[in-house]
């Protein structure tokens, strides 16, 4: 009774097979953590630099946006647009929208190129900077346009004047930050690395 299945009792099933290959445990790679403190100062730089793009955005829009030609219809300064001129209200908004989308795309791509600072902190800063640029673009753009089409003399009835372009929807300010977020998110998905390539090499 000292044997089981033809094997001696001292050679139990716990003895490893000499032909078996030992399986070593796979080393666990540490998950990359979100870096906040080290990214705060670069994030502030990204936010302020991106926000300053609102000034060239406003200036470029004031040059490209067409004015409306209006006719003075009464002594109180009442204006009526000439035929087809009222369409420029949409043109002004569309031109600003395309410029804002281009600005947002530029901010998102440049922020992504800061390889050692990639992550949610810089993304939030870039989006905030794009929102600041959008706000500056709408407010300063209208101011630039008003100064460009300033009327020197008081018009009389029958005169045709150029009314400065206006941005009639405040929702257009969201174009730049939305494009920045979209561009950065698409680049993150395309990268596919856990650390987003922060570690060089």
């Amino acid at each position: 009774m000292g044997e089981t299945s033809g094997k001696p009792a001292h050679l139990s099933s716990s003895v490893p097979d000499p032909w078996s290959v030992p399986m070593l445990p796979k080393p666990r790679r540490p998950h990359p953590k979100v870096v906040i403190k080290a990214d705060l100062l670069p994030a502030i730089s990204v936010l302020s630099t991106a926000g300053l793009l609102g000034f060239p955005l406003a200036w470029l829009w004031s040059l490209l946006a067409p004015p409306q030609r209006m006719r003075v219809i009464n002594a109180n300064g009442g204006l009526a647009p000439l035929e087809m001129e009222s369409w420029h209200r949409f043109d002004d908004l569309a031109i600003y929208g395309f410029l804002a989308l281009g600005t947002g795309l530029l901010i998102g791509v440049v922020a992504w190129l800061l390889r050692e600072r990639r992550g949610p902190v810089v993304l939030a800063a870039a989006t905030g900077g794009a929102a600041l640029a959008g706000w500056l673009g709408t407010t300063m753009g209208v101011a630039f346009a008003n100064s460009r089409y300033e009327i020197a003399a008081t018009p009389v009835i029958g005169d045709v004047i150029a009314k400065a372009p206006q941005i009639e929807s405040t929702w257009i300010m969201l174009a730049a930050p939305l494009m920045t977020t979209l561009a950065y998110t698409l680049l993150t998905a395309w990268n596919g690395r856990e650390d987003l390539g922060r570690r060089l090499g």
Side-chain angles (χ1 to χ4, degrees), residues 26-32 192-195 199:
K26 294 182 179 180
R28 294 183 178 180
R29 293 187 302 177
H31 293 286
R193 300 180 61 177
E194 292 183 354
D195 63 345
R199 291 189 291 270

Side-chain angles (χ1 to χ4, degrees), residues 20-190:
S20 64
V21 178
M23 299 296 292
L24 298 177
K26 294 182 179 180
R28 294 183 178 180
R29 293 187 302 177
H31 293 286
K33 298 180 179 179
V34 176
V35 180
I36 296 180
K37 290 184 178 180
D39 289 349
L40 280 179
L41 186 59
I44 295 174
S45 300
V46 169
L47 190 149
S48 58
T49 305
L52 290 177
L53 291 178
F55 291 102
L57 170 63
W59 178 77
L60 188 58
W61 175 82
S62 68
L63 294 180
L64 297 178
Q68 290 187 72
R69 290 190 301 164
M70 313 284 286
R71 187 181 301 277
V72 181
I73 58 175
N74 56 44
N76 296 326
L79 302 175
L82 299 183
E83 186 178 1
M84 309 293 289
E85 287 293 311
S86 59
W87 290 11
H88 289 324
R89 296 169 58 190
F90 172 77
D91 297 337
D92 298 338
L93 193 63
I95 290 173
Y96 182 85
F98 283 117
L99 292 175
L101 289 175
T103 303
L105 179 62
L106 175 65
I107 294 173
V109 172
V110 172
W112 174 258
L113 293 178
L114 301 176
R115 181 172 181 176
E116 295 182 353
R117 300 303 178 189
R118 290 174 183 171
V121 178
V122 170
L123 171 59
T127 303
L132 178 60
W135 177 77
L136 286 175
T138 55
T139 55
M140 297 303 298
V142 173
F144 291 156
N146 289 336
S147 62
R148 187 179 180 206
Y149 294 98
E150 185 178 1
I151 300 175
T154 303
V156 298
I157 298 176
D159 285 351
V160 176
I161 63 174
K163 182 183 178 183
Q166 300 292 319
I167 299 176
E168 299 184 2
S169 176
T170 56
W171 290 101
I172 200 65
M173 290 191 298
L174 298 178
L178 286 177
M179 177 54 73
T180 297
T181 304
L182 179 62
Y184 201 96
T185 303
L186 289 178
L187 289 172
T188 301
W190 172 76

